[in-house]
Amino acid sequence: MGGSVKEVQSKPELDNLLSSGAPVIVHFWASWCDASKHMDQVFSHLATDFPSAHFLRVEAEELPEISEEYSVSAVPFFVFFKEGKKVDVLEGADPSSLANKIAKVAGSVNPGEPAAPASLGLAAGPSVLETVKELAKENGSSQVSNQVQPGLSDALVKQLQQLINSHSVMLFMKGTPEAPRCGFSQKVVDILKAENVKFGSFDILSNNEVREGLKKFSNWPTFPQLYCKGELLGGCDIAIAMHESGELKDVFRDNGIDTNHSEEPKQGDSEGGKGGISESTGLSATLTSRLKSLIDSNPVMLFMKGSPDEPKCGFSGKVVEILKEEKVNFESFNILSDDEVRQGLKVYSNWSSYPQLYIKGELIGGSDIVLEMQKSGEFRRLLVEKGVVPKETLEDRLKSLIASSPVMLFMKGNPDAPRCGFSSKVVNALREEGVSFGSFDILSDEEVRQGLKVFSNWPTFPQLYYKGELIGGCDIVMELRGNGELKSTLSE
């Protein structure tokens, strides 16, 4: 202990530390993930503020035995232990929640203060607070303030307009032009480079407020989004079609965009490979042909560690689970069985880790991207657009959401950050009764919000369901709890 972060090398080492009975917090991370690196800075600062606890770091992909035991499917991911038992988890880059959860497990910074403070500043002390402020400033994190309002505020509209107009050609993408985080973003970057166009970009993964706000502002639900002189051109498919027809070049010319700013592409440079695939990879023609053949061998192709029946890492297992949940027929390739394919595909796709998921020859990304897309509904929309699965009716979608967890709460906000007092009351009641539950933020999807009112014949939120049946709203939940019937009702 003593305020430092220890790198775990094996499962026995972790088990030994857990057996000590002291509070333990484990950060599962990956060296390729920027969010992991940012959260690790916060994690390290917190280690100095809570010297009585063990702060451990696990390279998730390198120690799959540990990752699988604790159901790690995306990074960053934190697991909290007290007296040798797992008591909580946190998925994603949320500095405020991390500090508060650590405070609950490890006790307060100063004796006599509450163990579960309501704000990051109280929980973490001045050193980490300063770090989080810097990260929030860099990433535009809305999680620190926790005050994002539904709809678009005047300030957000102004920010979005400024971003869109900051360059004549502006691309809102996942990742950066040098390191795209999805194949569709990579493809549009390749197209703009092929068009010799100077462009600005914004990583929408770095700022959820901008990400969600832009969907409403532009009335366009997916990314990337390409703008020219403040006007939305469209996403990846439209950019591809316009590029191939020559229309994109005409648009740039008509708007006075300079298409001669950069050097001519070097001989052999690709002007159009799929999913970030470059022809000038340095791979042999035989291997290149083999990789392309494998990718194109099925409309949905997963390169993973192990097989769908026996995944060899939690990240691969999570993508398999998502594909099965979405009822997608897919083929897979075990990259552990062929090192030539394993190393070659990293170069071919310009994607350094596994699993890698391809749809109709396009690289989608790894487990974190697929998980994020599924949570937002973007993955289902993509599958429908590509003709991989039939279009789902709203009723089908609502039934699927309701059935996604035995106890399912449709609320405003999320359990860690409720956006109304009634939702907060229901969350607290369920947690105090020790009931595990799934949730859906109805503020994030107007179609679900309005549709569920009709489907359930219940006009307000929150709405609590058990095994597909509506229990009721806040008043009924409070009444059941007051009568001592809530837990039994949700476990019959």
Side-chain angles (χ1 to χ4, degrees):
M1 286 187 272
S4 62
V5 179
K6 179 178 175 59
E7 195 81 35
V8 174
Q9 303 296 332
S10 67
K11 187 176 185 299
E13 180 184 6
L14 175 60
D15 292 341
N16 183 54
L17 289 167
L18 292 176
S19 67
S20 70
V24 175
I25 304 94
V26 184
H27 176 200
F28 290 87
W29 78 301
S31 56
W32 47 265
C33 178
D34 287 340
S36 286
K37 295 175 183 176
H38 287 160
M39 287 300 291
D40 199 57
Q41 293 179 42
V42 178
F43 193 61
S44 297
H45 279 280
L46 283 163
T48 65
D49 284 332
F50 296 91
S52 62
H54 290 290
F55 284 72
L56 309 177
R57 185 188 298 116
V58 172
E59 180 81 27
E61 287 187 321
E62 297 302 318
L63 294 171
E65 183 183 10
I66 300 176
S67 298
E68 289 173 27
E69 180 172 349
Y70 296 107
S71 303
V72 179
S73 59
V75 290
F77 190 94
F78 299 87
V79 184
F80 305 82
F81 298 88
K82 199 166 187 177
E83 297 176 354
K85 297 180 180 178
K86 185 177 80 169
V87 295
D88 206 350
V89 298
L90 173 64
E91 182 180 311
D94 188 341
S96 181
S97 291
L98 176 62
N100 282 312
K101 287 176 181 290
I102 289 175
K104 290 177 183 178
V105 171
S108 64
V109 181
N110 300 309
E113 289 186 356
S119 71
L120 176 60
L122 290 175
S127 60
V128 71
L129 181 59
E130 193 60 36
T131 300
V132 174
K133 283 181 177 177
E134 286 301 312
L135 284 175
K137 187 176 179 182
E138 282 178 29
N139 299 328
S141 172
S142 60
Q143 292 169 321
V144 175
S145 65
N146 228 6
Q147 296 295 321
V148 182
Q149 298 298 319
L152 298 178
S153 66
D154 291 342
L156 180 55
V157 169
K158 184 177 180 180
Q159 182 187 4
L160 295 175
Q161 288 175 330
Q162 287 175 340
L163 284 170
I164 290 169
N165 294 322
S166 62
H167 293 80
S168 297
V169 179
M170 186 66 185
L171 177 63
F172 292 85
M173 62 182 291
K174 294 181 179 179
T176 66
E178 295 74 26
R181 296 296 306 280
C182 80
F184 303 106
S185 293
Q186 174 74 71
K187 182 61 182 175
V188 178
V189 168
D190 289 345
I191 286 172
L192 294 174
K193 288 179 177 178
E195 294 279 356
N196 282 342
V197 170
K198 185 178 181 180
F199 63 98
S201 70
F202 185 90
D203 178 7
I204 53 92
L205 298 178
S206 71
N207 189 319
N208 197 57
E209 186 179 26
V210 169
R211 179 179 185 173
E212 296 306 320
L214 199 60
K215 291 179 183 179
K216 296 177 182 177
F217 183 87
S218 63
N219 194 28
W220 194 271
T222 59
F223 292 96
Q225 293 183 16
L226 180 62
Y227 291 78
C228 178
K229 290 292 182 75
E231 295 292 331
L232 175 66
L233 297 182
C236 181
D237 289 344
I238 290 177
I240 291 172
M242 293 179 70
H243 173 60
E244 292 177 348
S245 69
E247 185 182 354
L248 191 58
K249 190 177 293 293
D250 293 340
V251 169
F252 291 147
R253 184 193 62 230
D254 293 345
N255 282 280
I257 306 296
D258 180 14
T259 58
N260 297 304
H261 81 281
S262 61
E263 297 177 4
E264 287 297 313
K266 296 177 182 177
Q267 186 175 4
D269 279 359
S270 169
E271 294 191 3
K274 294 187 290 184
I277 296 166
S278 170
E279 300 297 336
S280 56
T281 57
L283 301 175
S284 69
T286 302
L287 179 55
T288 298
S289 176
R290 185 184 175 205
L291 295 174
K292 187 177 187 306
S293 178
L294 283 170
I295 290 169
D296 293 337
S297 63
N298 199 73
V300 180
M301 189 68 189
L302 177 63
F303 292 84
M304 62 180 291
K305 293 180 179 179
S307 66
D309 294 330
E310 295 185 16
K312 295 297 185 184
C313 79
F315 300 102
S316 294
K318 185 60 183 178
V319 176
V320 168
E321 182 183 323
I322 289 172
L323 291 171
K324 288 180 177 178
E325 286 175 1
E326 299 291 348
K327 297 180 173 57
V328 175
N329 293 319
F330 67 99
E331 293 293 334
S332 68
F333 185 91
N334 180 9
I335 53 94
L336 298 178
S337 69
D338 192 317
D339 198 56
E340 184 182 46
V341 170
R342 180 179 186 174
Q343 301 305 328
L345 195 61
K346 292 180 182 179
V347 178
Y348 185 85
S349 64
N350 191 28
W351 197 270
S352 61
S353 60
Y354 290 98
Q356 294 182 17
L357 180 66
Y358 294 77
I359 296 180
K360 297 288 183 77
E362 298 280 356
L363 173 65
I364 306 304
S367 65
D368 55 341
I369 297 292
V370 176
L371 179 62
E372 187 179 6
M373 290 177 70
Q374 188 198 36
K375 285 181 177 178
S376 69
E378 190 175 344
F379 191 58
R380 165 60 59 169
R381 287 193 291 269
L382 174 65
L383 293 171
V384 172
E385 287 171 7
K386 295 292 184 182
V388 174
V389 297
K391 187 174 182 180
E392 185 180 48
T393 66
L394 177 57
E395 183 176 351
D396 289 337
R397 187 179 175 211
L398 295 175
K399 287 180 179 178
S400 177
L401 284 170
I402 291 169
S404 62
S405 178
V407 181
M408 189 66 187
L409 177 63
F410 291 83
M411 62 180 291
K412 293 181 179 179
N414 61 65
D416 291 330
R419 298 292 300 280
C420 80
F422 301 108
S423 294
S424 181
K425 280 185 178 181
V426 174
V427 167
N428 290 336
L430 293 172
R431 285 178 168 172
E432 288 168 8
E433 294 290 334
V435 175
S436 297
F437 62 98
S439 69
F440 184 90
D441 179 7
I442 53 94
L443 297 178
S444 69
D445 194 312
E446 188 67 17
E447 184 181 47
V448 170
R449 180 179 186 175
Q450 299 304 328
L452 200 59
K453 292 178 183 179
V454 177
F455 181 84
S456 63
N457 194 27
W458 193 272
T460 60
F461 291 96
Q463 293 182 17
L464 182 67
Y465 291 77
Y466 177 60
K467 291 187 175 180
E469 297 294 329
L470 176 66
I471 301 300
C474 181
D475 289 346
I476 290 178
V477 172
M478 292 299 104
E479 183 180 342
L480 287 170
R481 185 182 173 221
N483 296 336
E485 300 175 359
L486 181 58
K487 191 164 187 175
S488 60
T489 299
L490 300 177
S491 57
E492 292 176 349

